[in-house]
Amino acid sequence: MQKKLIQVPKDFMIGAAVSAWQTEGWSGKKDSQDSYLDVWYKNNHNVWHDGYGPAVATDFRNRYKEDIGYMKEIGLTHFRTSINWSRFLVDYETAVVDEDYAAYIDDMINELIANGIEPMICLEHYEVPAVLFENYGGWGSKHVVELFVKYAEKVFERYGDKVRNWFTFNEPVVVQTRVYLDAIRYPFEQNTKKWMQWNYNKALATAKVVSLFRKMGLSQSAKIGVILNPEVTYARSSAPHDQEAARIYDLFFNRVFLDPSIKGEYPQELFDLMEKHDITFEHTKEELGIINRNKVDYVGLNLYFPHRVQARTSAWNERIPFHPAYYYEKFDLPGKKMNPYRGWEIYPQIMYDMALRMKEEYGNIEWFIAENGMGVEKEQRFKNEDGMIEDDYRIEFISDHLKWLLKAVEEGVNCRGYMLWAFSDNVSPMNAFKNRYGLVEINLEDNRNRRLKKSAYWYQRLISERQFETNMEEYK
Ligand code: BG6
């Protein structure tokens, strides 16, 4: 196969990500510090693959120094994780800090910096405290928005002088979509209005935290943004009905966060649709003003797969509460390339298409790929004689995606980097350790010991040589 050499621009960041709850484990956690995810794991243990979950995860809480050693060996310039809100405080109402956990975060950040790795910290990667979910309905409550701001203030007071890259949320649309829109998780309630309220309250929380960040004077040396997961949406055809399906999908799932965060306002068409279907979120003029005045500095985008839709082919069942699927249904493209383990289509051009959109529709704001990666099942079968996992599929996946991303960068898109999901194998919601994502293997049969995979050495060369080879299309 013919190869092409691609250059990586000098300052283009190459890093990797994980989150707190997917790696830390419960070591040192107090009983009152469950997150929503911890409770879901405890209550619905059977739905988590092989029973694994956040309880031990990768034991990062105890092994972070060892892991940072591997990050250094690979040469990562940036590492993103989250602070676990439910663990950082012992009292969420008055924001009393858990000093043990805070000391661990302090040391982890120091260790990263001492090893030349820039920490990128997210304030919420689904770790909403369970008690706030039970008492107030979680992100459906404006009171929870205020508690999040109090929590953010404590975090900024402690680490604001060390960390230069901050984010309010990771994928703020996800939890409520699974919980209230699709009702596939505890508490199994289908309630589209609640879904919209969560969406809005998280956008409002982002704006309030951005405002706080600026008031605290942190903008002089640091940036604050949000990590979003726009699903790059393609219509089946150019016909108006399919185009409309894609446009409406995009409004409800992508623009619902992209627009308030970057443009400071919601699309009018979204307001119209919400009104038509009686799902408008409770809001005030003053709150919309806060959103308007506090746009983010930059955004991280998590891009994994394309989303394909077509117009509905059957009538909507009117007994079902409104769901955006009223306007679309999934389109299954014949012959698409799949990652069969995760069930996600592989279509690297999403990088380029989304990048152009950021340039054309979102004022060429600064952004970066905050997550992209490939989860593969039973990776042990790829171990070589020496016991190292030879994950050539991951190397191919990364190079194909990077190739499209860097093409956009060459064309003037303001994308500043690429962060792989994930630094190490880790626990996924429900799938637990089924699909492995890491550059670093976590061996569950051997005390969770770590070992670099082939992709880690490839990544190491990518970072040091700032170039990589990719396959050219082959026409046979
Ligand atoms: C992203 C999330 O959506 O995808 C991560 O930010 C998640 O938390 C990753 O682990 C991979 O998806 P999954 O469901 O396979 O873990």
Side-chain angles (χ1 to χ4, degrees), residues 354-388:
M354 191 65 211
L356 290 196
R357 189 168 181 204
M358 294 305 285
K359 185 173 163 199
E360 283 153 17
E361 288 176 42
Y362 291 98
N364 214 16
I365 186 179
E366 176 180 339
W367 64 281
F368 65 99
I369 290 294
E371 282 181 31
N372 169 247
M374 187 180 185
V376 170
E377 204 172 345
K378 299 196 177 73
E379 278 200 316
Q380 306 91 302
R381 71 196 137 124
F382 300 112
K383 283 197 173 177
N384 64 17
E385 278 170 12
D386 184 38
M388 181 184 73

Side-chain angles (χ1 to χ4, degrees), residues 19 21-22 80 125-126 170-171 174 178 227 229 302 304 342 344 371 375 421 426-429 431-432 435 437:
S19 74
W21 80 269
Q22 291 175 277
R80 171 173 63 106
H125 193 122
Y126 319 151
N170 175 77
E171 301 193 352
V174 164
R178 307 279 178 273
I227 292 167
N229 56 315
N302 296 353
Y304 285 89
R342 188 60 183 82
W344 286 344
E371 282 181 31
W421 185 270
N426 61 81
V427 169
S428 291
N431 277 329
N435 302 318
Y437 280 92

Side-chain angles (χ1 to χ4, degrees), residues 177 181-182 190 192 252-253 316 320-328:
T177 300
L181 193 62
D182 296 332
Q190 207 293 325
T192 311
F252 275 112
F253 294 97
W316 184 252
I320 297 177
F322 171 73
H323 182 295
Y326 180 93
Y327 291 101
Y328 66 85

Side-chain angles (χ1 to χ4, degrees), residues 256-274:
V256 67
F257 279 104
L258 284 167
D259 282 38
S261 317
I262 303 174
K263 297 183 175 172
E265 59 187 21
Y266 285 93
Q268 185 53 47
E269 192 180 0
L270 186 60
F271 271 120
D272 297 344
L273 286 168
M274 286 193 295

Side-chain angles (χ1 to χ4, degrees), residues 104-113 119 121 159 162-163:
Y104 145 67
I105 295 290
D106 201 32
D107 201 44
M108 190 255 294
I109 290 173
N110 289 342
E111 187 78 11
L112 285 167
I113 295 171
I121 301 289
Y159 318 113
K162 295 183 194 172
V163 176

Side-chain angles (χ1 to χ4, degrees), residues 232-373:
V232 185
T233 303
Y234 299 94
R236 173 185 61 168
S237 76
S238 54
H241 53 282
D242 285 339
Q243 291 290 319
E244 180 190 60
R247 197 185 70 252
I248 295 184
Y249 185 91
D250 186 52
L251 271 172
F252 275 112
F253 294 97
N254 300 334
R255 294 187 64 188
V256 67
F257 279 104
L258 284 167
D259 282 38
S261 317
I262 303 174
K263 297 183 175 172
E265 59 187 21
Y266 285 93
Q268 185 53 47
E269 192 180 0
L270 186 60
F271 271 120
D272 297 344
L273 286 168
M274 286 193 295
E275 202 181 309
K276 177 172 169 200
H277 296 288
D278 192 22
I279 54 159
T280 309
F281 42 70
E282 276 170 35
H283 63 283
T284 64
K285 249 191 169 165
E286 194 205 336
E287 289 168 352
L288 292 181
I290 295 173
I291 290 176
N292 195 256
R293 290 190 298 279
N294 296 287
K295 297 169 213 159
V296 294
D297 295 326
Y298 63 163
V299 285
L301 300 184
N302 296 353
L303 300 187
Y304 285 89
F305 55 88
H307 191 262
R308 301 185 189 276
V309 294
Q310 62 182 25
R312 284 193 69 82
T313 50
S314 56
W316 184 252
N317 177 351
E318 294 299 338
R319 296 208 309 278
I320 297 177
F322 171 73
H323 182 295
Y326 180 93
Y327 291 101
Y328 66 85
E329 62 186 35
K330 282 200 168 192
F331 169 59
D332 196 5
L333 178 71
K336 66 190 176 191
K337 186 175 175 189
M338 289 294 291
N339 169 357
Y341 317 103
R342 188 60 183 82
W344 286 344
E345 184 182 343
I346 300 178
Y347 186 65
Q349 196 180 322
I350 52 173
M351 303 300 240
Y352 181 77
D353 292 342
M354 191 65 211
L356 290 196
R357 189 168 181 204
M358 294 305 285
K359 185 173 163 199
E360 283 153 17
E361 288 176 42
Y362 291 98
N364 214 16
I365 186 179
E366 176 180 339
W367 64 281
F368 65 99
I369 290 294
E371 282 181 31
N372 169 247

